[in-house]
Amino acid sequence: MPQTHTSAGINKNLLILHFTVFIWGFTSILGELISIAAVQLVWYRVVIATISLFLYFKFNKTSYKISRKTLLKLVATGALVGGHWILFFAAIKLSTVSVTLVCLSSNTLFTAILEPVINRTRISKMEIVAGVLIIIGIILIFKFETQYTKGIIIGLLSSVCASLFSIINARQVKHTDAPVIAFYELSGAFIWISVYLFFTHGFAHDMVLKNSDIGYLLILGTVCTSLAYVAGVSVMKEFSAFKVALITNLEPVYGIIMAFIFFDDMHKLSTGFWAGAIIILSTIFMFPLAQKQIAKRRAK
């Protein structure tokens, strides 16, 4: 009975994670639709998300008190969260939604390398192979999509930030509730971005919103950020950062489909892009199957 209960819990978390990844796929579409620059966009995003989480705590009378040590860690991690989103939206504006989303797939390789280093565990050869295949796919995209070189580089840097804060959150969620982690990390992102905007005079310009931007930002800040962020962190109680990163790589599938629906992005992309994308997405789908086969052989 306990095994059945555990299996049911994992299946539920798997569904939550897939739903969360679908929502994240829609984030890129909103990033393209919102007219303001990447840094200002993320500032509005974290403000709305932080306020919505604060209201959640108040209405549910839920405590969000934590130790000073944990507070400092979460606020510091907020710099990675904010950096990831700024680089992500900047990459979209410098290339296309589809190119940026495929670059984000390198998250798997970075996590395969960084998670064992940070947690001081053995590096999985299979995870490295999966990561290398994804990098081969990215190289193919680089080769054929040279007009988007800046966007691709920034997209890869965004992926490094995502990998780092995912690994940190996988450890934090063991002793801190997911909504509390989300609240303080998003608050941290707000603080760091506000400091940056203050010193670069970013509040003086580029903050004016169009009427359409307000609606898109509200969806982005509530559904795609506070709700999805809490859900994404909560599943880490059951899954490793690498497994979360692997499933998160389905974001390009959802995002590219939506980019085609909203922007007809397909005609902008070369054969090289699709060859690279197929390698990346095939690796994502085949990895869990290969893992199961290896586990069966070892069990014999």
Side-chain angles (χ1 to χ4, degrees), residues 205-227:
H205 53 83
D206 295 331
M207 296 296 288
V208 180
L209 299 172
K210 294 180 180 177
N211 289 336
S212 59
D213 289 339
I214 296 168
Y216 294 142
L217 280 166
L218 285 171
I219 297 168
L220 181 64
T222 53
V223 179
C224 299
T225 307
S226 54
L227 177 63

Side-chain angles (χ1 to χ4, degrees), residues 89-108:
F89 289 120
I92 288 171
K93 292 179 187 295
L94 287 168
S95 58
T96 69
V97 170
S98 303
V99 168
T100 302
L101 286 170
V102 172
C103 287
L104 205 60
S105 298
S106 62
N107 187 12
T108 307

Side-chain angles (χ1 to χ4, degrees), residues 58-77:
K58 288 297 179 186
F59 281 120
N60 287 280
K61 296 179 181 178
T62 306
S63 174
Y64 52 95
K65 289 182 180 180
I66 53 174
S67 68
R68 187 178 177 183
K69 184 180 178 182
T70 303
L71 172 64
L72 292 173
K73 282 182 182 178
L74 295 178
V75 169
T77 305

Side-chain angles (χ1 to χ4, degrees), residues 203-266:
F203 286 118
H205 53 83
D206 295 331
M207 296 296 288
V208 180
L209 299 172
K210 294 180 180 177
N211 289 336
S212 59
D213 289 339
I214 296 168
Y216 294 142
L217 280 166
L218 285 171
I219 297 168
L220 181 64
T222 53
V223 179
C224 299
T225 307
S226 54
L227 177 63
Y229 198 89
V230 169
V233 174
S234 67
V235 299
M236 289 182 171
K237 287 180 180 178
E238 299 287 349
F239 303 135
S240 68
F242 179 81
K243 185 161 186 179
V244 171
L246 191 73
I247 295 170
T248 299
N249 282 321
L250 288 172
E251 186 178 339
V253 179
Y254 302 135
I256 288 168
I257 290 168
M258 285 187 273
F260 172 68
I261 294 168
F262 284 91
F263 307 122
D264 192 22
D265 241 4
M266 301 292 190

Side-chain angles (χ1 to χ4, degrees), residues 12-284:
K12 180 186 174 185
N13 282 316
L14 200 57
L15 285 172
I16 291 169
L17 181 55
H18 276 286
F19 178 68
T20 303
V21 171
F22 177 78
I23 292 172
W24 285 338
F26 192 66
T27 297
S28 55
I29 304 302
L30 292 171
E32 179 74 12
L33 290 170
I34 296 167
S35 64
I36 56 175
V39 180
Q40 284 79 5
L41 188 159
V42 176
W43 185 85
Y44 278 115
R45 179 183 188 177
V46 294
V47 166
I48 294 166
T50 304
I51 292 169
S52 63
L53 281 169
F54 179 75
L55 293 173
Y56 163 81
F57 290 128
K58 288 297 179 186
F59 281 120
N60 287 280
K61 296 179 181 178
T62 306
S63 174
Y64 52 95
K65 289 182 180 180
I66 53 174
S67 68
R68 187 178 177 183
K69 184 180 178 182
T70 303
L71 172 64
L72 292 173
K73 282 182 182 178
L74 295 178
V75 169
T77 305
L80 289 171
V81 176
H84 160 64
W85 285 335
I86 289 168
L87 292 167
F88 176 74
F89 289 120
I92 288 171
K93 292 179 187 295
L94 287 168
S95 58
T96 69
V97 170
S98 303
V99 168
T100 302
L101 286 170
V102 172
C103 287
L104 205 60
S105 298
S106 62
N107 187 12
T108 307
L109 176 62
F110 296 132
T111 305
I113 296 168
L114 294 171
E115 187 174 25
V117 171
I118 292 170
N119 294 334
R120 296 179 183 178
T121 57
R122 194 175 71 177
I123 293 175
S124 165
K125 290 177 184 177
M126 196 173 166
E127 289 180 4
I128 293 296
V129 169
V132 168
L133 285 170
I134 286 168
I135 287 297
I136 290 169
I138 290 169
I139 288 169
L140 273 173
I141 292 166
F142 250 118
K143 186 178 178 182
F144 291 93
E145 301 294 336
T146 51
Q147 73 271 36
Y148 300 133
T149 300
K150 283 184 180 178
I152 291 170
I153 292 169
I154 290 171
L156 292 172
L157 289 173
S158 171
S159 188
V160 173
C161 290
S163 175
L164 286 169
F165 77 70
S166 294
I167 295 165
I168 292 166
N169 285 344
R171 298 174 72 176
Q172 289 291 338
V173 78
K174 301 285 191 294
H175 51 79
T176 308
D177 289 338
V180 177
I181 291 172
F183 176 68
Y184 286 108
E185 285 185 351
L186 294 173
S187 298
F190 164 71
I191 292 165
W192 294 112
I193 297 167
S194 295
V195 169
Y196 172 81
L197 286 172
F198 177 78
F199 283 106
T200 58
H201 307 290
F203 286 118
H205 53 83
D206 295 331
M207 296 296 288
V208 180
L209 299 172
K210 294 180 180 177
N211 289 336
S212 59
D213 289 339
I214 296 168
Y216 294 142
L217 280 166
L218 285 171
I219 297 168
L220 181 64
T222 53
V223 179
C224 299
T225 307
S226 54
L227 177 63
Y229 198 89
V230 169
V233 174
S234 67
V235 299
M236 289 182 171
K237 287 180 180 178
E238 299 287 349
F239 303 135
S240 68
F242 179 81
K243 185 161 186 179
V244 171
L246 191 73
I247 295 170
T248 299
N249 282 321
L250 288 172
E251 186 178 339
V253 179
Y254 302 135
I256 288 168
I257 290 168
M258 285 187 273
F260 172 68
I261 294 168
F262 284 91
F263 307 122
D264 192 22
D265 241 4
M266 301 292 190
H267 77 278
K268 300 177 186 176
L269 304 171
S270 66
T271 306
F273 171 88
W274 290 112
I278 288 166
I279 290 171
I280 290 167
L281 298 175
S282 298
T283 303
I284 293 163

